Amino acid sequence: MTGIEAAAAALGVVSVWLTIRQHLACWPTGIVMVALYAWVFFDARLYADAGLQVVFLGMQVYGWVHWRSGDAGGAGGVLPVVRLGRNQAVVWFAVLVLGTLALGTATAAAGAALPFVDAFQTVLSLIAQYLMARKVLDSWLMWIVVDVVSIGMYLSKDLMITAALYALFLGLAVAGLRAWRRSLAELAVPAAT
């Protein structure tokens, strides 16, 4: 499995780097990465994470289409970076708690390893990925939490390459947060006339 895991990890780094740069190619690169990781996680009996990759496949397509279409409020048809509102944050937190409980219970019954930890990072990853497709700055904060939890989970399952990848993702998520904050700040500055 090491070869497939290594290829998925390499594509993951490229995909996140492209996302930080807000480059459209992050999405097709991500499609290949999640397909490979679906196999890796299924083989490791991390069923929620394997299922997450299948869902991510659809979310990668959604993100690709959404970023390509841009937004009427964006400059020149480019989708702008935005912030999550307080009410939205409360709703997403409730989704995280309920989703973790439901998925953790279901995967525990199926004999999954670390069912509630896996479920937590799975549900938070789904939320973060959806918000990233919408270019919500706060998605990077969620990815930071996912990365920290994932490092421990993958180390416990002896997925060393993937744990190292998530350590790298942690650094990239911090860089992404900074870059998207700058992008958001640039939007707040009125254009010179």
Side-chain angles (χ1 to χ4, degrees):
M1 191 56 63
T2 303
I4 295 172
E5 185 183 359
L11 286 169
V13 171
V14 171
S15 180
V16 174
W17 180 77
L18 289 168
T19 304
I20 291 169
R21 300 178 54 80
Q22 300 180 48
H23 193 286
L24 192 60
C26 67
W27 300 107
T29 306
I31 287 170
V32 178
M33 176 196 65
V34 299
L36 293 175
Y37 263 121
W39 179 258
V40 170
F41 293 140
F42 185 80
D43 189 61
R45 291 187 9 204
L46 292 170
Y47 303 133
D49 227 2
L52 172 66
Q53 302 311 305
V54 174
V55 175
F56 271 161
L57 191 62
M59 293 183 87
Q60 293 290 331
V61 172
Y62 169 76
W64 195 0
V65 169
H66 190 70
W67 279 29
R68 278 191 67 181
S69 67
D71 180 58
V78 175
L79 188 67
V81 175
V82 296
R83 292 296 314 255
L84 195 61
R86 181 181 301 225
N87 290 341
Q88 294 170 315
V90 169
V91 168
W92 286 117
F93 182 75
V95 169
L96 174 62
V97 170
L98 296 173
T100 298
L101 290 173
L103 186 57
T105 301
T107 57
L114 307 169
F116 289 94
V117 175
D118 191 20
F120 172 81
Q121 75 91 4
T122 297
V123 174
L124 188 55
S125 293
L126 286 169
I127 294 167
Q129 186 64 37
Y130 173 77
L131 294 175
M132 182 151 289
R134 309 286 305 170
K135 276 198 177 176
V136 176
L137 173 69
D138 308 84
S139 63
W140 287 111
L141 294 169
M142 294 174 194
W143 283 122
I144 289 169
V145 174
V146 167
D147 294 338
V148 169
V149 170
S150 296
I151 290 166
M153 183 176 69
Y154 297 137
L155 285 173
S156 76
K157 294 302 292 178
D158 203 30
L159 293 171
M160 297 305 168
I161 293 171
T162 303
L165 172 65
Y166 275 78
L168 180 57
F169 279 167
L170 179 57
L172 289 171
V174 171
L177 179 64
R178 289 180 179 154
W180 282 29
R181 274 186 180 155
R182 282 191 302 271
S183 183
L184 183 64
E186 289 169 5
L187 289 174
V189 176
T193 56

